[in-house]
């Protein structure tokens, strides 16, 4: 891999992030989270793009300072072109374009989903990078899919959610429990003190490798409405058990299809990526399958799971080596296939 220094910029949702990569080694990875969305129980697109505008310059400056890199040492600029919230993407895209123009360096567009998967090739993401072909369960707030990764830029989605994403299920169920947004990490924490076998919730019965998470959400909602009628403090009194049971169900749904795909395709290289791959029960389930099924598992380092610019810089580096540059007339795109 070349030793070029590349700046990566991520602004697809509610995190403004900038990172500097040299080869595949991350020199800095800075993110500004947008606490503002907590009050609204979800990301408000208009507020997100406004916050990106405020954050982007300080975040990029900080990434350069932390990496101890001068602007003129940068060989290229990578940015998230999509998928994501258009208003948010536009901020990162316009900034990347103008900086590339002023520094006279190539501009490189990055697909956010590819970046979650290719984060596994960052030097310190794993003790060893995955070997092709591998399966990658990509689970975030906006996406849930099983991807067959044949090569760096040769990926095939073999299964995906037909409704909510797994992260969305965590967040929406968290809302029913009156937890802050995003509820995924909170449910994970509360579940540690709970009994995962306390309650049973509906699981979808779908053919092939597709997922559905709207059923579990409704099943939890109806159950809670019924119980709260009998005991108004039901949620408060049983919160840990509720979180543990919900988490167990979501992880079982995710793992069942992943196991089926690995078996059918006879692949033992199995990775997880995206925000939900930070979940401790999912990480444990992967560990278990390393022992039970002989999988070689790839679980990214925590800081490369939720949205971050390090993964954008990694993809930009791979594209830089291949001479895959983007025209300055490019624009952001809310939808962007793998
Ligand atoms: O990849 P990401 O940062 O943003 C998207 O591209 O969507 O993923 C965010 C999602 C949120 O739904 C959040 O609740 C979930 O990842 N998440 C978790 C955990 N940490 C983040 N879900 C369950 N357990 C966690 N520990
Ligand atoms: Zn993401």
């Amino acid at each position: 891999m070349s030793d070029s220094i590349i700046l990566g910029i991520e602004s697809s949702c509610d995190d403004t992030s900038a990172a500097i990569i040299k080869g595949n080694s991350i020199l800095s990875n800075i993110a500004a989270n947008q606490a503002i969305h907590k009050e609204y129980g979800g990301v408000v697109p208009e507020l997100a793009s406004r916050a990106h505008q405020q954050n982007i310059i300080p975040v990029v400056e900080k990434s350069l300072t932390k990496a101890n890199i001068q602007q003129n040492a940068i060989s290229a600029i990578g940015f998230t072109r999509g998928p994501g919230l258009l208003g948010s993407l536009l901020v990162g895209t316009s900034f990347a374009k103008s900086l590339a123009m002023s520094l006279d360096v190539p501009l490189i567009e990055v697909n956010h989903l590819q970046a979650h998967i290719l984060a596994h090739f960052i030097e310190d993401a794993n003790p060893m990078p995955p070997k092709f072909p591998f399966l990658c369960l990509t689970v975030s707030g906006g996406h849930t899919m099983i991807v067959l990764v044949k090569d760096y830029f040769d990926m095939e989605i073999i299964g995906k959610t037909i409704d909510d994403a797994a992260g969305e299920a965590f967040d929406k169920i968290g809302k029913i429990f009156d937890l802050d947004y995003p509820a995924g990490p909170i449910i994970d924490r509360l579940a540690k003190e709970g009994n995962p076998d306390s309650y049973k919730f509906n699981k979808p019965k779908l053919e092939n490798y597709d997922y559905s998470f709207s059923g579990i959400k409704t099943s939890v909602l109806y159950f809670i409405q019924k119980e709260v009628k009998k005991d108004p403090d039901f949620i408060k009194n049983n919160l840990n058990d509720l979180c543990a049971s919900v988490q167990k169900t979501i992880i079982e749904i995710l793992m069942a299809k992943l196991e089926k795909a690995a078996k059918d395709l006879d692949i033992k290289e199995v990775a997880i990526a995206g925000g939900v791959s930070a979940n401790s029960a999912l990480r444990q389930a992967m560990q278990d399958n390393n022992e039970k099924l002989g999988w070689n598992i790839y679980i990214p380092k925590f800081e490369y799971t939720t949205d971050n610019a390090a993964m954008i810089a990694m993809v930009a580096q791979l594209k830089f080596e291949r001479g895959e540059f983007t025209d300055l007339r490019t624009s952001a795109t809310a939808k962007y296939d793998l």
Side-chain angles (χ1 to χ4, degrees):
M1 185 159 303
S2 88
D3 245 5
S4 311
I5 294 171
I6 292 180
L7 164 68
I9 294 171
E10 154 67 28
S11 73
S12 66
C13 191
D14 59 342
D15 297 288
T16 321
S17 180
I20 304 285
I21 199 167
K22 183 176 184 191
N24 70 341
S25 157
I26 296 295
L27 304 185
S28 65
N29 183 25
I30 308 293
N33 299 94
Q34 304 181 357
I36 179 92
H37 305 290
K38 254 190 194 145
E39 296 169 34
Y40 299 92
V43 177
V44 184
E46 189 57 33
L47 296 179
S49 53
R50 212 176 301 162
H52 282 306
Q53 280 168 6
Q54 285 160 357
N55 292 337
I56 193 131
I57 294 176
V59 163
V60 169
E61 275 175 354
K62 218 166 159 190
S63 73
L64 287 163
T65 314
K66 173 109 189 280
N68 201 14
I69 292 290
Q70 303 294 323
Q71 277 190 14
N72 59 12
I74 295 172
S75 297
I77 296 172
F79 70 100
T80 307
R81 190 174 158 230
L85 299 170
L86 195 59
S88 292
L89 289 163
L90 276 170
V91 178
T93 305
S94 326
F95 183 84
K97 278 160 71 170
S98 21
L99 192 58
M101 211 183 317
S102 75
L103 297 178
D104 197 21
V105 294
L107 180 69
I108 302 175
E109 68 180 61
V110 174
N111 179 312
H112 180 89
L113 292 173
Q114 265 184 0
H116 270 301
I117 297 171
L118 296 175
H120 283 286
F121 294 91
I122 295 172
E123 193 181 33
D124 63 342
N126 287 295
M128 293 270 282
K131 289 183 277 299
F132 301 114
F134 66 91
L135 285 174
C136 187
L137 173 69
T138 309
V139 263
S140 69
H143 299 271
T144 295
M145 50 179 73
I146 299 176
V147 181
L148 172 60
V149 188
K150 297 174 221 170
D151 206 337
Y152 292 109
F153 296 103
D154 185 4
M155 304 183 183
E156 185 189 339
I157 299 170
I158 59 168
K160 61 176 187 304
T161 181
I162 58 165
D163 41 54
D164 291 348
E168 205 177 348
F170 271 110
D171 297 338
K172 286 180 175 171
I173 292 170
K175 212 168 176 177
I176 301 173
F177 297 163
D178 212 15
L179 303 176
D180 275 348
Y181 173 87
I186 305 172
I187 292 182
D188 190 355
R189 183 169 43 81
L190 293 171
K192 289 192 169 68
E193 309 292 321
N195 175 1
D197 297 313
S198 305
Y199 308 103
K200 293 264 171 283
F201 300 111
N202 278 356
K203 284 193 197 163
K205 291 180 189 67
L206 287 179
E207 293 293 314
N208 56 47
Y209 311 118
D210 284 342
Y211 289 112
S212 166
F213 289 99
S214 65
I216 174 173
K217 182 188 60 191
T218 320
S219 155
V220 172
L221 179 66
Y222 289 164
F223 173 72
I224 292 293
Q225 283 173 341
K226 198 176 75 199
E227 293 301 322
V228 166
K229 263 191 201 139
K230 291 184 259 170
D231 168 16
D233 289 332
F234 178 77
I235 298 177
K236 203 174 79 197
N237 293 339
N238 300 283
L239 191 56
N240 296 95
D241 289 345
L242 284 166
C243 288
S245 304
V246 162
Q247 176 168 281
K248 183 180 179 189
T249 313
I250 294 177
I251 302 308
E252 278 179 357
I253 296 171
L254 288 171
M255 290 307 289
K257 292 294 169 102
L258 186 60
E259 284 165 17
K260 179 173 154 60
K263 186 161 173 264
D264 293 352
L265 300 174
D266 194 21
I267 291 180
K268 290 208 188 300
E269 297 281 304
V270 188
I272 53 174
V276 182
S277 64
N279 183 268
S280 58
L282 178 58
R283 287 170 169 247
Q284 186 57 51
M286 290 288 288
Q287 277 298 348
D288 294 347
N289 280 359
N290 164 255
E291 283 144 38
K292 224 170 56 199
L293 304 173
W295 284 4
N296 296 323
I297 57 163
Y298 303 92
I299 302 174
K301 225 172 122 177
F302 197 74
E303 62 186 285
Y304 305 138
T305 56
T306 47
D307 288 348
N308 65 88
M311 65 185 194
I312 306 303
M314 182 67 241
V315 179
Q317 184 69 274
L318 291 165
K319 287 192 166 184
F320 184 74
E321 283 188 341
R322 288 161 178 74
E324 280 182 39
F325 305 141
T326 305
D327 193 283
L328 280 170
R329 280 167 302 184
T330 191
S331 58
T333 173
K335 290 207 182 340
Y336 194 171
D337 288 338
L338 255 189

